[in-house]
Amino acid sequence: MIENQKIRPAQVIGPLGEPLTLDSLPAAGTTRWVVRRKAEVVSAVSGGLLTVDEVCDRYDLTVEEFASWQRAVERSGMPGLRVTRIQHYKSLYERQQKY
């Protein structure tokens, strides 16, 4: 029986089309989260560069906080990660789900 091995890519494509590696991700312990940094971390997890647990440990995030970033990207792309626009995109998404 063959066991699944953890195979990680050396790089993934970032939100702006640039290659992302472990070294190019935001520094561990980052506390100021701009849209680009959030999108890079979401892309790293989506591409298999890091796991959700590794991201939460590395950046001291809760699973819920990271999951909210993923939902925002899935629903509205990078603009959905803007703190000032979260409520707008949330209500827009809820209205779209009614129809």
Side-chain angles (χ1 to χ4, degrees):
M1 186 175 198
I2 299 174
E3 294 183 19
N4 290 336
Q5 296 178 356
K6 291 185 179 182
I7 299 174
R8 294 182 188 223
Q11 65 182 19
V12 296
I13 302 300
L16 301 175
E18 78 288 1
L20 285 177
T21 63
L22 288 175
D23 293 334
S24 66
L25 287 173
T30 296
T31 56
R32 185 169 182 274
W33 288 102
V34 295
V35 171
R36 180 188 49 82
R37 290 183 189 144
K38 290 178 185 178
E40 287 175 347
V41 172
V42 170
S43 294
V45 171
S46 297
L49 197 58
L50 290 171
T51 66
V52 173
D53 291 334
E54 290 170 334
V55 165
C56 290
D57 289 341
R58 181 175 175 152
Y59 299 113
D60 195 30
L61 301 172
T62 63
V63 173
E64 293 80 12
E65 186 175 15
F66 179 74
S68 73
W69 294 358
Q70 284 183 311
R71 281 192 305 274
V73 169
E74 290 169 4
R75 291 177 181 173
S76 307
M78 283 181 64
L81 291 169
R82 293 185 63 199
V83 173
T84 57
R85 301 298 288 172
I86 288 174
Q87 194 62 37
H88 168 74
Y89 286 115
K90 182 179 178 185
S91 64
L92 180 65
Y93 177 76
E94 289 170 353
R95 283 193 307 255
Q96 289 174 345
Q97 292 303 307
K98 290 181 182 179
Y99 302 105

